[in-house]
Amino acid sequence: MNQSDKTAFPLRLLCLDIDGTLLNTAHQLPPENRAAVQYAAEHGLTVCLMSARPPQAIEPITQALGVPGPVASFGGALIEDGKKRLSDCRLPVDAARTVIGLAQQAGISLSFYRNRDWLVTQEDFWSRTEGEITGLHPTCLPLVAALADGAPHKLLCMGEKAEIDHFLHLLQSKMLSVSLLRSKDTYLEILPQNADKADALRTLCQLLHISPRQAMAIGDHDVDCTLLRAAGIGVAMGNGSPAARQAADWIAPDNDHAGVAAALCYWTKEENA
């Protein structure tokens, strides 16, 4: 890519997906990635972790990274900088109620996320697996009843790929006022409309008084596509989904070979050339 076609250097913002991107397949932070992100922050880039994870599951990654900055959780539905809430978008209650009912009928594992609450009707293989990844434990209670205390930031459907494929088509046929995005082949994220990672990037750019062309974004799956297109430099991981790779300007090595560090090294050199 001719960088002048899309970017306006100097880069000022770095938006990083976590799972499948910043972390390796063992869900560990490679030291090369940590060093590269710290170098970027020391040279003037604001670093924002953007993830479908809830905020409390991002905090250990932020601490391990050692770089303070804003965090976009729930796929961009909630943006916080320390204790300051920058943006807060929720699913429509009626749409959430419909999804909960359809998931129960289809036998799909469904998680309800609101602020620091992770709610499930009952624990199962999928919730236990997610808990092992994030280090969190859900609370069990009827999900429709939980709507009385407020709308969720996101709903997460988990199941075998074929099950999720079928459920995605079912939800699409209902034409609900939500965004339906895959973060894994086995995960379907149900998010508020106009509250994805690209919207989070634009919100941060407004706060920083910069152009989105001065942002670099790195991600690995369908949920990252709008982000990669919105940024001045969109980088997909070598392990990225076909859609993410197509949306990107540059393909990095995979997440088991410190692809984030490779991308930052390459583009920092390009910027300073």
Side-chain angles (χ1 to χ4, degrees):
M1 181 188 77
N2 182 344
Q3 64 189 36
S4 64
D5 291 341
K6 196 179 178 190
T7 59
F9 287 115
L11 288 173
R12 294 282 309 282
L13 176 64
L14 174 62
C15 298
L16 286 171
D17 175 54
I18 295 177
D19 296 292
T21 301
L22 182 63
L23 304 185
N24 60 25
T25 53
H27 305 290
Q28 300 298 314
L29 175 63
E32 301 95 329
N33 286 352
R34 180 192 297 110
V37 174
Q38 290 178 346
Y39 178 86
E42 290 166 0
H43 286 76
L45 275 73
T46 296
V47 177
C48 178
L49 297 184
M50 293 188 170
S51 176
R53 290 181 178 223
Q56 69 270 34
I58 300 176
E59 288 171 357
I61 313 302
T62 302
Q63 293 169 1
L65 198 58
V67 175
V71 170
S73 53
F74 302 124
L78 179 63
I79 309 174
E80 298 173 301
D81 191 356
K83 295 183 179 180
K84 184 178 181 181
R85 187 160 291 198
L86 305 178
S87 181
D88 185 338
C89 298
R90 310 290 182 97
L91 288 165
V93 171
D94 288 345
R97 184 178 292 110
T98 297
V99 173
I100 292 168
L102 292 172
Q104 289 174 342
Q105 292 173 17
I108 293 289
S109 179
L110 184 69
S111 289
F112 179 118
Y113 291 94
R114 179 181 56 218
N115 293 319
R116 292 177 174 268
D117 293 331
W118 174 20
L119 310 176
V120 297
T121 300
Q122 61 183 17
E123 287 203 66
D124 57 19
F125 166 80
W126 294 101
S127 64
R128 287 191 290 270
T129 300
E130 179 67 2
E132 290 172 0
I133 294 170
T134 62
L136 305 179
H137 300 283
T139 298
C140 296
L141 54 77
L143 298 185
V144 170
L147 291 170
D149 293 324
H153 286 97
K154 82 162 188 174
L155 297 172
L156 172 62
C157 302
M158 296 179 283
E160 298 297 337
K161 181 181 182 301
E163 294 177 317
I164 296 300
D165 288 343
H166 179 76
F167 195 62
L168 171 59
H169 293 316
L170 175 62
L171 292 183
Q172 288 172 331
S173 73
K174 301 299 181 180
M175 300 183 68
L176 302 172
S177 298
V178 300
S179 292
L180 305 170
L181 297 167
R182 300 290 273 271
S183 55
K184 296 182 183 181
D185 288 344
T186 54
Y187 282 23
L188 175 62
E189 310 280 346
I190 302 171
L191 303 169
Q193 288 184 328
N194 302 318
D196 63 10
K197 293 184 181 183
D199 291 299
L201 178 145
R202 287 187 281 267
T203 295
L204 292 171
C205 286
Q206 290 175 357
L207 293 170
L208 293 169
H209 305 291
I210 63 172
S211 166
R213 294 173 63 205
Q214 292 177 274
M216 179 179 182
I218 311 179
D220 76 302
H221 218 285
D222 298 13
V223 71
D224 300 309
C225 288
T226 59
L227 172 66
L228 300 183
R229 294 190 187 102
I233 300 169
V235 176
M237 302 297 291
N239 53 287
S241 69
R245 292 166 66 92
Q246 186 174 10
D249 303 301
W250 197 75
I251 308 299
D254 65 43
N255 63 324
D256 282 328
H257 293 87
V260 166
L264 289 173
C265 179
Y266 178 84
W267 286 102
T268 298
K269 289 179 180 179
E270 289 289 312
E271 179 177 350
N272 293 329

